[in-house]
Amino acid sequence: MSVDIKVPTLGESVTEATIARWLKKPGDAVRVDEPLVELETDKVSLEVPSPVAGVLKAVSAEEGSDVEVGAVIGSIDEGAEAPAGSAAVDAPAEKAEAPGADEPADEPADRAPAKAGDGTGAGRPAQAGQGGIGPAARKLAE
């Protein structure tokens, strides 16, 4: 059975978002609540989780396209098995511990977390690969 991936409600006054990037591609196995796609609005960046376990069947909105709240942006074959060579739906995690978990709890002063207001950008949401620029600033710059 095919299940639609829809743009969720993003906020009271937000009616559309931009597809920032797909985290999965058609044919990839997905688990329930596994992030599928990153959406950006003027106010927020968020990941849309998979509503079901199965295989990502199709993507109907490409990266960079604007989509309305409630729009169908892809579909998942619920309960389908991934083709050979792709990640299995129920594959166990390779390593349960986070990288560096065996390091001592006390970090050296040069690795201590930055404090808000110290000019390092601490306190802002991280935007992977975007230099810490938020969606509204990036859109303005473009």
Side-chain angles (χ1 to χ4, degrees):
M1 179 166 120
S2 185
V3 176
D4 290 336
I5 303 165
K6 295 183 180 183
V7 177
T9 301
L10 302 167
E12 192 172 309
S13 63
V14 180
T15 59
E16 72 175 15
T18 301
I19 304 284
R21 74 179 176 126
W22 282 93
L23 303 172
K24 296 288 183 176
K25 61 183 185 265
D28 284 353
V30 296
R31 295 182 300 254
V32 175
D33 293 331
E34 183 174 14
L36 299 173
V37 61
E38 289 180 357
L39 300 179
E40 290 185 347
T41 70
D42 292 356
K43 300 177 182 183
V44 69
S45 293
L46 71 134
E47 293 177 339
V48 177
S50 175
V52 295
V55 174
L56 183 59
K57 177 179 173 181
V59 170
S60 57
E62 296 299 320
E63 291 180 5
S65 54
D66 291 333
V67 291
E68 299 282 324
V69 169
V72 175
I73 57 175
S75 63
I76 297 172
D77 274 339
E78 183 176 14
E81 295 290 323
S86 63
V89 173
D90 296 320
E94 289 295 319
K95 188 173 180 182
E97 294 182 20
D102 54 346
E103 293 179 15
D106 295 333
E107 294 182 358
D110 62 304
R111 291 186 54 196
K115 303 287 185 238
D118 66 357
T120 64
R124 285 195 318 240
Q127 302 291 321
Q130 300 167 358
I133 299 173
R138 185 170 39 269
K139 189 175 260 187
L140 183 61
E142 289 172 356

